[in-house]
Amino acid sequence: MLRVLLPLLAASAAWAADPGFELSGRLVPRSGASVSLFGSTVPFSAYTLANVDGSFHFKKLEPGMYTLSVFIRRRGETRRTIEIGPGTANSKGRVAVTLQLKDSDFVYATSLRRHIVSARQLAIPESALRSYRDAQKDLSRYDVDSAVKHLERAVDLAPQFSAAWNNLGTIAYQGRKYDRAEECFRMAVQQDPQSYEALVNLGGVLVTLRKLDEALDYNLKAVLARPNDALANAQLGFTYFSVGQYDLAVKYLEHTRELDPANFSYPQLLLFQIYSRRGQRDQAAQMLEDFLTRHPDWPQADKMRETIAGLRAPSH
């Protein structure tokens, strides 16, 4: 993710850590599914099963951005960004979401692979798998230090454990330890070149570290592997923005908005910059308006509204 967005991410992370929120969701059409919730900007991981009516629940959530993953047998996986906070919750702290699922929302072949035990996975000793599972329990309680210790033990016991390396890289990235994140993501890719998660995450940290030639290569591979993955499209758009190829940046950032309008990469903010530079005031204002619709708790919302008013004012 781009370094220019880090102050914005820091602002969103500045909300008080109140683990009193709940997420209540429903799948339409109703279906049995495994549902996972991942912290987008802070380390967190939790898992549940949808009920027969398609409903699911997560409790004791801190405010912030989360990625919701839904896996349905024979359909595949789909992901959406969910914002948890005062602006999206009711008076009891509950955020309600209804996911209208279409076949085109799902990635099948690559996501199915994540739910099948591979030969390499079978070679990982039970002690390493246990440490990995313990780390996920730690993350569900926001206990990052303990999670890191368990993950480091997992890769010590099984250096080929790509998922554990990827998890360590994600935590390092969210803690702004970008060199360590790059190291972990490279290890994850090395140990399992077919790991999409490691591939797209490596592409993201390379953009942050301004290793743009390599970032372009990895992010192009990610988009080719999953053309409808919002994160891959966002990172490719960020890469093109960084090298000044604004037409291509707009193409992939707009596609990100179509796929996941509330995506934690905040594509509207870079699109706002591009449209502003081009003197496209109406489009620039639309991006900020769309952003505030998706992120009502944004700390700088008042300043953003002032900017919108200025863009909407008649020019002389």
Side-chain angles (χ1 to χ4, degrees):
M1 201 165 298
L2 278 180
R3 189 181 300 275
V4 296
L5 289 183
L6 292 177
L8 303 176
L9 293 176
S12 68
W15 296 325
D18 174 17
F21 289 91
E22 297 182 13
L23 174 63
S24 177
R26 187 165 64 93
L27 306 179
V28 178
R30 63 187 182 184
S31 175
S34 61
V35 184
S36 301
L37 191 66
F38 305 103
S40 299
T41 55
V42 295
F44 176 83
S45 177
Y47 165 84
T48 191
L49 294 174
N51 298 315
V52 292
D53 62 354
S55 64
F56 59 88
H57 303 274
F58 292 96
K59 297 182 178 181
K60 297 182 179 179
L61 300 174
E62 293 183 1
M65 304 291 293
Y66 293 83
T67 298
L68 185 69
S69 168
V70 177
F71 178 81
I72 300 175
R73 188 182 296 274
R74 296 189 179 90
R75 295 190 75 184
E77 181 192 42
T78 184
R79 295 190 174 201
R80 304 283 174 83
T81 299
I82 306 294
E83 181 163 325
I84 303 294
T88 56
N90 63 17
S91 60
K92 296 182 179 179
R94 175 173 293 182
V95 176
V97 296
T98 298
L99 301 182
Q100 302 279 350
L101 301 177
K102 309 182 299 295
D103 286 340
S104 59
D105 294 332
F106 289 85
V107 177
Y108 181 67
T110 49
S111 64
L112 179 62
R113 180 181 171 278
R114 295 176 59 243
H115 296 263
I116 296 176
V117 179
S118 67
R120 290 182 65 83
Q121 183 78 6
L122 289 172
I124 295 173
E126 176 58 31
S127 55
L129 293 170
R130 185 167 53 251
S131 290
Y132 182 82
R133 290 192 293 266
D134 287 342
Q136 305 316 302
K137 293 177 183 177
D138 292 331
L139 291 174
S140 72
R141 299 188 293 266
Y142 299 95
D143 190 347
V144 179
D145 291 340
S146 182
V148 169
K149 290 178 181 177
H150 281 120
L151 290 168
E152 288 178 342
R153 174 169 171 74
V155 296
D156 284 342
L157 293 168
Q160 76 273 29
F161 202 162
S162 177
W165 281 114
N166 184 66
N167 211 166
L168 280 169
T170 301
I171 293 172
Y173 188 94
Q174 291 169 332
R176 303 189 183 189
K177 299 175 182 178
Y178 303 120
D179 290 334
R180 173 59 174 166
E182 179 189 5
E183 176 187 358
C184 292
F185 291 142
R186 287 191 187 278
M187 283 297 297
V189 171
Q190 178 181 329
Q191 298 304 325
D192 184 1
Q194 301 304 313
S195 171
Y196 176 80
E197 288 77 11
L199 171 72
V200 73
N201 286 337
L202 179 55
V205 74
L206 289 171
V207 180
T208 300
L209 291 171
R210 309 296 292 175
K211 298 181 179 181
L212 298 178
D213 289 341
E214 202 175 4
L216 183 59
D217 180 52
Y218 278 102
N219 288 318
L220 278 169
K221 288 178 180 177
V223 168
L224 289 173
R226 291 195 186 182
N228 288 330
D229 181 69
L231 180 58
N233 279 273
Q235 290 180 174
L236 186 55
F238 295 161
T239 309
Y240 281 127
F241 177 88
S242 297
V243 298
Q245 296 191 40
Y246 295 142
D247 288 342
L248 286 170
V250 168
K251 173 183 176 180
Y252 289 101
L253 292 170
E254 287 287 11
H255 192 38
T256 302
R257 279 210 313 139
E258 295 171 5
L259 294 167
D260 186 11
N263 191 265
F264 65 90
S265 62
Y266 306 135
Q268 294 92 338
L269 298 184
L270 276 188
L271 286 166
F272 161 74
Q273 291 189 46
I274 294 172
Y275 291 138
S276 295
R277 292 180 184 186
R278 291 176 167 177
Q280 296 172 278
R281 296 167 62 89
D282 186 57
Q283 291 92 327
Q286 288 177 13
M287 290 304 102
L288 295 186
E289 289 167 345
D290 183 49
F291 180 85
L292 288 177
T293 299
R294 314 294 177 184
H295 308 288
D297 292 322
W298 190 249
Q300 299 169 352
D302 289 341
K303 291 184 179 179
M304 200 169 281
R305 292 188 185 95
E306 292 176 4
T307 301
I308 293 170
L311 290 167
R312 293 295 191 194
S315 57
H316 299 286

